[in-house]
Amino acid sequence: MRVVTARDYDQMSRKASYIVASRVILNPRCVLGLATGDTPKGLYRELVRLHQAGDVDFSGVTTFNLDEYVGLAPEHPNSYHRYMEEHFFRFVSIPPEQRHIPRGDAPDIAAECERYEEAVRRAGGVDLQILGLGRDGHIGFNEPDVKFEKGTHVVRLAPSTIEANARFFASAGEVPQSAISMGIKTIMSARRLLLLASGPEKAEAIRGAVLGAVTPDLPASVLQLHPNATVIVDDDAASLLF
């Protein structure tokens, strides 16, 4: 695991964008795994900037998102379909048929999980998976105690995760209680991993993920076992590492 530090969120986002853009430049038909939430917004902003400057072309890229809320249709304002459209897809050249996000409104959620896992396999797996980090160390929506051998599956969200995401909804009561998420096994099958974390509230989780024991109690700790994992953290998130 490589740890890269940045002085602040903006520099972290820029450094991450150079890694992602370099993958696309070297392999224009690569498969990117995408994350949502507050942390990747700066990364997407920087990638859009590079695209609009003519430095990187996403037209050959295939994408797979980590997760989606169960029960939300793609057009719902808080769906991750909408998030990706607003922050990335509408600004770049990825054809719609090359963008993949789980359907939270699928009539058979178990079948949707199987379909999504199979779609990742058919694409040849993920070349570079982008990850954020929950305060409890979750990646994707893989909460503490989720088994490492899980593929794409339905996750019951922890109260802390619901509380953290309540700011995106009118109230905590409107946050879905479950989500479809790529599992740890799927994430770890990616050829490269890129974890981003910013802010002092992530410092404890980063210390555990980088220096602690590998345990399902802190899902991000499994990244220590990946042969090509990079962690980019700002000074606040890195404050307990050194």
Side-chain angles (χ1 to χ4, degrees), residues 11-87:
Q11 188 181 60
M12 178 200 74
S13 300
R14 284 194 299 274
K15 288 186 175 185
S17 74
Y18 301 151
I19 291 174
V20 177
S22 69
R23 283 294 98 208
V24 177
I25 291 168
L26 291 171
N27 179 8
R29 303 190 67 81
C30 69
V31 178
L32 296 180
L34 304 180
T36 53
D38 278 339
T39 303
K41 287 179 180 178
L43 165 61
Y44 294 136
R45 181 190 66 231
E46 291 298 318
L47 291 175
V48 168
R49 181 183 63 79
L50 292 171
H51 170 75
Q52 292 177 339
D55 294 329
V56 59
D57 176 16
F58 291 94
S59 62
V61 169
T62 296
T63 66
F64 286 91
N65 266 73
L66 280 169
D67 41 37
E68 179 59 285
Y69 289 114
V70 169
L72 297 194
E75 60 271 15
H76 190 284
N78 293 116
S79 74
Y80 290 145
H81 285 76
R82 179 68 70 86
Y83 172 104
M84 291 306 306
E85 190 67 27
E86 291 181 353
H87 294 286

Side-chain angles (χ1 to χ4, degrees), residues 22-236:
S22 69
R23 283 294 98 208
V24 177
I25 291 168
L26 291 171
N27 179 8
R29 303 190 67 81
C30 69
V31 178
L32 296 180
L34 304 180
T36 53
D38 278 339
T39 303
K41 287 179 180 178
L43 165 61
Y44 294 136
R45 181 190 66 231
E46 291 298 318
L47 291 175
V48 168
R49 181 183 63 79
L50 292 171
H51 170 75
Q52 292 177 339
D55 294 329
V56 59
D57 176 16
F58 291 94
S59 62
V61 169
T62 296
T63 66
F64 286 91
N65 266 73
L66 280 169
D67 41 37
E68 179 59 285
Y69 289 114
V70 169
L72 297 194
E75 60 271 15
H76 190 284
N78 293 116
S79 74
Y80 290 145
H81 285 76
R82 179 68 70 86
Y83 172 104
M84 291 306 306
E85 190 67 27
E86 291 181 353
H87 294 286
F88 190 51
F89 287 154
R90 70 188 178 99
F91 299 107
V92 297
S93 50
I94 305 172
E97 64 272 15
Q98 293 167 207
R99 313 170 190 170
H100 302 274
I101 304 175
R103 288 291 301 241
D105 62 343
D108 186 333
I109 295 297
E112 175 65 4
C113 292
E114 293 177 7
R115 182 201 66 80
Y116 201 71
E117 188 75 13
E118 178 60 27
V120 174
R121 283 196 294 267
R122 286 200 310 269
V126 173
D127 292 303
L128 173 61
Q129 176 65 61
I130 299 161
L131 300 166
L133 181 71
R135 296 184 186 187
D136 60 0
H138 72 252
I139 48 178
F141 271 130
N142 294 286
E143 302 284 12
D145 289 331
V146 169
K147 295 183 184 302
F148 285 162
E149 64 267 24
K150 282 275 192 181
T152 301
H153 63 296
V154 176
V155 177
R156 183 78 175 174
L157 301 183
S160 59
T161 300
I162 293 172
E163 180 183 355
N165 289 344
R167 67 189 185 278
F168 302 117
F169 293 79
S171 69
E174 293 187 13
V175 182
Q177 302 294 299
S178 56
I180 297 172
S181 180
M182 281 189 190
I184 298 295
K185 180 179 178 181
T186 314
I187 290 169
M188 290 292 285
S189 295
R191 284 173 275 281
R192 295 174 179 82
L193 301 177
L194 177 61
L195 176 72
L196 309 179
S198 173
E201 68 278 5
K202 301 294 178 70
E204 191 68 43
I206 281 292
R207 179 171 65 178
V210 174
L211 300 177
V214 176
T215 170
D217 291 335
L218 202 159
S221 65
V222 75
L223 304 188
Q224 296 177 38
L225 305 180
H226 196 279
N228 198 336
T230 300
V231 176
I232 304 183
V233 286
D234 66 9
D235 285 342
D236 286 337

